[in-house]
Amino acid sequence: MVRVPDAKVALSTASVYPESTATAFEIAARLGYDGVEVMVWTDPVSQDIEALRRLSDYHRVPILAIHAPCLLITQRVWSTDPWVKLQRARAAAERLGASTVVVHPPFRWQRQYARDFVTGIWRMADETDVRFAVENMYPWRYRDREMLAYAPDWDVTKDDYRHFTVDLSHTATARTDAMGMIDRMGDRLGHVHLADGRGSAKDEHLVPGRGTQPCAELLERLAGTSFDGHVVIEVNTRRAMSSAEREADLAEALAFTRLHLARSATRPGTRSEVPSGATSGAPSGARSGARSANSAAAPPAPAAKGPSPAPAPPPTAAAPPQTPPQTPPQASSPAPSPGTSTTRESRQSRTPGSSGVRPS
């Protein structure tokens, strides 16, 4: 028998860069992803809640998570105030039905924001059912030099957060023990960015299985636990020579994830199976196989009594920038090392406060 966990597999809209947010919804629907994570960045459609709602309805692909605009290239998206960015990300998640907001730790030069970050994230988390899942980062490296660019720390397990996002491309760049970090996160691991890496100083975001990270081991562990978050494919397809090659990479990533999320349990007289289509990376057939392997597909539209009107066309995405930003949207910023931590007691008793102002 095969046990497929409840975790949904989503496509990050950053994974189709330099194509648009609208294209990500189209590809996610065609390949059979359970939903999308919207990277809020310079594409105007990614910032427009109503445009995102129309895309979700048109393609029947739910929005499962919002990635707040935390990148160097998004410093002016949704305000220059980082707390306003998080408030807007939470509002977008609530209006679009997303369960998670992904947020990076502050840059070190954001001193006041960094000083209040841990307390402020708890305060905001106390005000909503949306999870604020803080993502592990990495040191930046240039040749033999290393710069600690994030505060309080790139290793988020050194601080006390209610939920974490683990990114396996970031663990590769940091050259840290990914499974050790996941152990430290424990049951506070609420979200996964699945990608691979080889330990380069650059944040690679390879298709899972093409690097050195324990992508399969992580997925198999999730399958045997009560993990109730989402697994998001966040890979770099910038160098794909064509749309077909990009789509094949994303189909391969989905197939890899489905396969390793299926945990076999042998029973006498029964035949073990894997999800249909889970062993092929080709786009054709990926949708039917993936949806049969995980029951999180969008429900069929109800039958209408009369002729159904044609669905409204999806919003048109803005053209991508003429030159790629210095950091692609799926890679968080320039550069990589190890860290340790301890698990602290839950701080559910924290006093909630208003997130409408910068926490003091």
Side-chain angles (χ1 to χ4, degrees):
M1 294 182 63
V2 164
R3 176 184 179 275
V4 180
D6 295 333
K8 295 180 180 179
V9 183
L11 177 66
S12 169
T13 59
S15 295
V16 306
Y17 180 82
E19 297 195 58
S20 66
T21 300
T23 300
F25 278 85
E26 179 184 345
I27 292 175
R30 185 158 55 243
L31 295 182
Y33 279 84
D34 297 318
V36 299
E37 175 179 296
V38 174
M39 170 71 80
V40 180
W41 69 297
T42 55
D43 181 345
V45 169
S46 73
Q47 306 170 28
D48 187 329
I49 292 175
E50 289 309 313
L52 293 170
R53 190 195 308 280
R54 291 197 301 274
L55 280 167
S56 178
D57 290 346
Y58 181 84
H59 292 289
R60 296 171 60 203
V61 173
I63 297 169
L64 302 179
I66 301 291
H67 195 308
C70 306
L71 311 181
L72 286 173
I73 63 169
T74 60
Q75 291 183 83
R76 296 186 178 276
V77 172
W78 279 1
S79 172
T80 56
D81 185 329
W83 291 112
V84 172
K85 292 173 182 282
L86 296 190
Q87 293 159 24
R88 294 189 64 172
R90 181 189 66 188
E94 290 171 342
R95 290 176 60 184
L96 294 168
S99 64
T100 303
V101 168
V102 178
V103 58
H104 293 178
F107 294 111
R108 295 189 74 86
W109 55 84
Q110 296 174 300
R111 293 182 182 177
Q112 185 63 44
Y113 178 46
R115 187 177 302 120
D116 299 335
F117 184 69
V118 178
T119 312
I121 289 293
W122 272 94
R123 183 179 293 121
M124 295 188 74
D126 284 338
E127 299 171 349
T128 181
D129 291 332
V130 173
R131 293 178 173 182
F132 282 88
V134 185
E135 183 174 2
N136 63 297
M137 299 306 291
Y138 45 81
W140 293 359
R141 290 196 184 93
Y142 179 70
R143 295 183 178 173
D144 296 330
R145 296 184 179 181
E146 183 176 287
M147 181 175 80
L148 301 179
Y150 299 96
D153 204 282
W154 63 264
D155 181 352
V156 293
T157 64
K158 292 183 177 180
D159 291 285
D160 187 14
Y161 301 106
R162 183 173 293 170
H163 291 107
F164 294 108
T165 296
V166 69
D167 185 307
L168 294 194
S169 178
H170 295 177
T171 58
T173 306
R175 300 170 190 169
T176 194
D177 176 3
M179 297 309 292
M181 177 173 283
I182 291 162
D183 287 339
R184 296 193 298 275
M185 291 179 174
D187 59 8
R188 292 184 292 170
L189 174 60
H191 200 69
V192 173
H193 279 171
L194 193 66
D196 216 331
R198 302 188 187 99
S200 165
K202 296 180 180 179
D203 188 15
E204 297 172 287
H205 283 270
L206 304 176
V207 171
R210 298 184 184 178
T212 60
Q213 293 305 286
C215 298
E217 184 180 350
L218 166 61
L219 293 170
E220 289 163 9
R221 178 179 295 191
L222 295 181
T225 67
S226 57
F227 177 74
D228 61 352
H230 306 312
V231 178
V232 177
I233 303 300
E234 192 185 62
V235 296
N236 187 339
T237 62
R238 271 195 311 150
R239 296 189 178 182
M241 301 300 292
S242 65
S243 295
E245 184 178 331
R246 173 173 293 109
E247 196 162 320
D249 282 347
L250 298 177
E252 179 184 330
L254 176 62
F256 179 99
T257 306
R258 295 266 192 240
L259 176 63
H260 291 286
L261 276 175
R263 187 167 61 95
S264 296
T266 307
R267 254 189 186 174
T270 62
R271 181 170 59 92
S272 294
E273 297 177 348
V274 295
S276 174
T279 57
S280 171
S284 59
R287 179 173 189 167
S288 59
R291 290 202 183 277
S292 65
N294 193 313
S295 59
K305 293 186 179 178
S308 299
T316 303
Q322 294 300 312
T323 57
Q326 66 184 62
T327 304
Q330 59 267 43
S332 326
S333 25
S337 192
T340 58
S341 154
T342 57
T343 302
R344 298 173 177 81
E345 295 179 1
S346 169
R347 293 163 48 179
Q348 303 292 336
S349 60
R350 285 185 173 270
T351 304
S354 171
S355 61
V357 296
R358 183 191 300 263
S360 57

PDB file of all heavy atoms in Angstrom, residues 46 219 240 249:
ATOM      1  N   SER A  46       1.452  40.262  -9.348  1.00  0.00           N
ATOM      2  CA  SER A  46       1.741  39.607  -8.074  1.00  0.00           C
ATOM      3  C   SER A  46       1.367  40.484  -6.892  1.00  0.00           C
ATOM      4  O   SER A  46       1.219  39.991  -5.773  1.00  0.00           O
ATOM      5  CB  SER A  46       3.230  39.238  -7.987  1.00  0.00           C
ATOM      6  OG  SER A  46       4.039  40.392  -7.788  1.00  0.00           O
ATOM      7  N   LEU A 219      11.224  14.574   2.405  1.00  0.00           N
ATOM      8  CA  LEU A 219       9.859  14.253   1.999  1.00  0.00           C
ATOM      9  C   LEU A 219       9.379  12.961   2.644  1.00  0.00           C
ATOM     10  O   LEU A 219       8.225  12.862   3.098  1.00  0.00           O
ATOM     11  CB  LEU A 219       9.782  14.153   0.473  1.00  0.00           C
ATOM     12  CG  LEU A 219      10.010  15.463  -0.282  1.00  0.00           C
ATOM     13  CD1 LEU A 219      10.154  15.196  -1.777  1.00  0.00           C
ATOM     14  CD2 LEU A 219       8.895  16.459  -0.022  1.00  0.00           C
ATOM     15  N   ALA A 240      16.438  27.839 -18.738  1.00  0.00           N
ATOM     16  CA  ALA A 240      15.727  26.958 -19.667  1.00  0.00           C
ATOM     17  C   ALA A 240      15.754  27.580 -21.067  1.00  0.00           C
ATOM     18  O   ALA A 240      15.535  28.787 -21.227  1.00  0.00           O
ATOM     19  CB  ALA A 240      14.287  26.748 -19.206  1.00  0.00           C
ATOM     20  N   ASP A 249      11.101  20.722 -16.530  1.00  0.00           N
ATOM     21  CA  ASP A 249      11.768  20.793 -15.225  1.00  0.00           C
ATOM     22  C   ASP A 249      10.748  20.835 -14.088  1.00  0.00           C
ATOM     23  O   ASP A 249      10.909  20.175 -13.057  1.00  0.00           O
ATOM     24  CB  ASP A 249      12.657  22.032 -15.152  1.00  0.00           C
ATOM     25  CG  ASP A 249      13.979  21.867 -15.894  1.00  0.00           C
ATOM     26  OD1 ASP A 249      14.320  20.720 -16.261  1.00  0.00           O
ATOM     27  OD2 ASP A 249      14.664  22.885 -16.106  1.00  0.00           O
TER      28      ASP A 249
END
